[in-house]
Short mmCIF file of all heavy atoms in Angstrom, two decimals:
data_model
loop_
_atom_site.label_atom_id
_atom_site.label_comp_id
_atom_site.label_asym_id
_atom_site.label_seq_id
_atom_site.Cartn_x
_atom_site.Cartn_y
_atom_site.Cartn_z
N GLN O 132 82.10 148.55 137.58
CA GLN O 132 83.41 148.99 138.02
C GLN O 132 83.37 149.64 139.40
O GLN O 132 84.23 149.44 140.23
CB GLN O 132 84.05 149.97 137.00
CG GLN O 132 84.52 149.30 135.71
CD GLN O 132 85.55 148.22 135.97
OE1 GLN O 132 86.43 148.32 136.80
NE2 GLN O 132 85.39 147.10 135.27
N LEU O 135 82.84 146.86 141.84
CA LEU O 135 84.07 146.11 141.95
C LEU O 135 85.10 146.84 142.80
O LEU O 135 85.80 146.24 143.64
CB LEU O 135 84.64 145.78 140.57
CG LEU O 135 85.90 144.93 140.53
CD1 LEU O 135 85.62 143.54 141.14
CD2 LEU O 135 86.37 144.74 139.07
N ASP O 142 82.40 138.46 141.41
CA ASP O 142 81.07 137.86 141.50
C ASP O 142 80.11 138.72 142.32
O ASP O 142 78.95 138.92 141.93
CB ASP O 142 81.16 136.47 142.12
CG ASP O 142 81.82 135.46 141.19
OD1 ASP O 142 81.84 135.66 139.95
OD2 ASP O 142 82.35 134.44 141.72
N PHE O 152 70.51 147.86 139.24
CA PHE O 152 69.70 148.19 138.10
C PHE O 152 68.22 147.82 138.32
O PHE O 152 67.35 148.54 137.87
CB PHE O 152 70.24 147.56 136.80
CG PHE O 152 71.31 148.42 136.17
CD1 PHE O 152 72.64 148.15 136.34
CD2 PHE O 152 70.96 149.54 135.42
CE1 PHE O 152 73.63 148.95 135.79
CE2 PHE O 152 71.91 150.35 134.86
CZ PHE O 152 73.25 150.07 135.03
N ARG O 165 66.78 166.50 138.87
CA ARG O 165 67.50 167.54 139.56
C ARG O 165 69.00 167.43 139.32
O ARG O 165 69.73 168.37 139.50
CB ARG O 165 67.24 167.44 141.06
CG ARG O 165 65.83 167.80 141.46
CD ARG O 165 65.69 167.77 142.98
NE ARG O 165 64.29 167.81 143.34
CZ ARG O 165 63.81 167.46 144.46
NH1 ARG O 165 64.60 167.03 145.43
NH2 ARG O 165 62.51 167.53 144.73
N THR O 167 71.94 164.80 136.81
CA THR O 167 71.96 163.93 135.64
C THR O 167 71.58 162.51 136.08
O THR O 167 71.70 162.16 137.25
CB THR O 167 73.37 163.92 134.99
OG1 THR O 167 74.29 163.33 135.94
CG2 THR O 167 73.79 165.30 134.56
N TYR O 190 78.65 139.96 159.58
CA TYR O 190 78.82 138.50 159.49
C TYR O 190 80.16 138.18 158.85
O TYR O 190 80.23 137.64 157.74
CB TYR O 190 77.70 137.86 158.66
CG TYR O 190 76.32 138.25 159.16
CD1 TYR O 190 75.55 139.18 158.47
CD2 TYR O 190 75.82 137.72 160.31
CE1 TYR O 190 74.32 139.53 158.93
CE2 TYR O 190 74.59 138.07 160.80
CZ TYR O 190 73.81 138.98 160.08
OH TYR O 190 72.59 139.33 160.55
N ASP O 197 95.50 127.44 160.14
CA ASP O 197 96.03 126.08 160.17
C ASP O 197 96.18 125.58 161.59
O ASP O 197 95.94 124.41 161.88
CB ASP O 197 97.38 126.04 159.44
CG ASP O 197 97.26 126.23 157.96
OD1 ASP O 197 96.13 126.05 157.42
OD2 ASP O 197 98.26 126.61 157.30
N VAL O 200 92.70 124.57 162.85
CA VAL O 200 92.30 123.32 162.17
C VAL O 200 93.04 122.16 162.84
O VAL O 200 92.46 121.12 163.14
CB VAL O 200 92.58 123.37 160.66
CG1 VAL O 200 92.43 121.99 160.02
CG2 VAL O 200 91.66 124.35 159.96
N GLN O 209 91.43 113.24 170.10
CA GLN O 209 91.47 112.96 171.57
C GLN O 209 90.10 112.46 172.03
O GLN O 209 90.04 111.50 172.82
CB GLN O 209 91.87 114.23 172.35
CG GLN O 209 92.02 113.98 173.83
CD GLN O 209 93.11 112.97 174.13
OE1 GLN O 209 94.18 112.97 173.56
NE2 GLN O 209 92.86 112.08 175.08
N LEU O 216 88.92 104.38 174.70
CA LEU O 216 89.38 103.94 176.01
C LEU O 216 88.20 103.60 176.92
O LEU O 216 88.26 102.63 177.67
CB LEU O 216 90.27 105.01 176.67
CG LEU O 216 91.70 105.11 176.15
CD1 LEU O 216 92.42 106.31 176.75
CD2 LEU O 216 92.47 103.81 176.46
N HIS O 238 100.13 94.61 178.90
CA HIS O 238 100.01 95.64 177.88
C HIS O 238 100.18 97.08 178.39
O HIS O 238 100.59 97.94 177.59
CB HIS O 238 98.66 95.50 177.16
CG HIS O 238 98.52 94.17 176.45
ND1 HIS O 238 99.21 93.88 175.29
CD2 HIS O 238 97.84 93.05 176.77
CE1 HIS O 238 98.91 92.68 174.89
NE2 HIS O 238 98.09 92.13 175.77
N LYS O 245 108.12 86.28 180.55
CA LYS O 245 109.05 85.72 181.55
C LYS O 245 108.82 86.44 182.91
O LYS O 245 108.74 85.74 183.96
CB LYS O 245 110.48 85.94 181.09
CG LYS O 245 111.51 85.26 181.93
CD LYS O 245 112.88 85.37 181.30
CE LYS O 245 113.83 84.43 182.03
NZ LYS O 245 115.08 84.27 181.33
N SER O 248 105.55 85.25 184.38
CA SER O 248 105.63 83.88 184.91
C SER O 248 106.26 83.89 186.29
O SER O 248 105.83 83.15 187.20
CB SER O 248 106.41 82.96 183.99
OG SER O 248 107.77 83.28 183.93
N GLN O 252 104.18 82.97 189.43
CA GLN O 252 104.74 81.66 189.74
C GLN O 252 104.08 80.56 188.88
O GLN O 252 103.60 79.56 189.37
CB GLN O 252 104.60 81.33 191.24
CG GLN O 252 105.35 82.32 192.11
CD GLN O 252 105.17 82.04 193.59
OE1 GLN O 252 104.38 81.24 194.01
NE2 GLN O 252 105.98 82.76 194.41
N GLU O 255 105.94 79.81 181.65
CA GLU O 255 105.74 80.78 180.59
C GLU O 255 104.59 80.38 179.67
O GLU O 255 103.78 81.21 179.24
CB GLU O 255 107.02 80.99 179.80
CG GLU O 255 108.08 81.74 180.55
CD GLU O 255 109.34 82.02 179.75
OE1 GLU O 255 109.28 82.09 178.50
OE2 GLU O 255 110.40 82.16 180.41
N ALA O 257 101.98 78.67 180.49
CA ALA O 257 100.69 78.91 181.20
C ALA O 257 100.33 80.38 181.14
O ALA O 257 99.16 80.72 180.96
CB ALA O 257 100.83 78.43 182.66
N ILE O 272 83.41 89.25 173.83
CA ILE O 272 82.49 90.22 174.44
C ILE O 272 82.25 91.41 173.47
O ILE O 272 81.13 91.83 173.25
CB ILE O 272 83.00 90.69 175.82
CG1 ILE O 272 83.05 89.56 176.79
CG2 ILE O 272 82.20 91.87 176.33
CD1 ILE O 272 83.80 89.88 178.08
#
Side-chain angles (χ1 to χ4, degrees):
Q132 286 302 320
L135 184 60
D142 290 337
F152 274 100
R165 291 185 193 161
T167 63
Y190 307 105
D197 291 340
V200 169
Q209 185 61 42
L216 282 173
H238 297 287
K245 189 174 191 169
S248 70
Q252 297 177 352
E255 289 183 26
I272 295 169

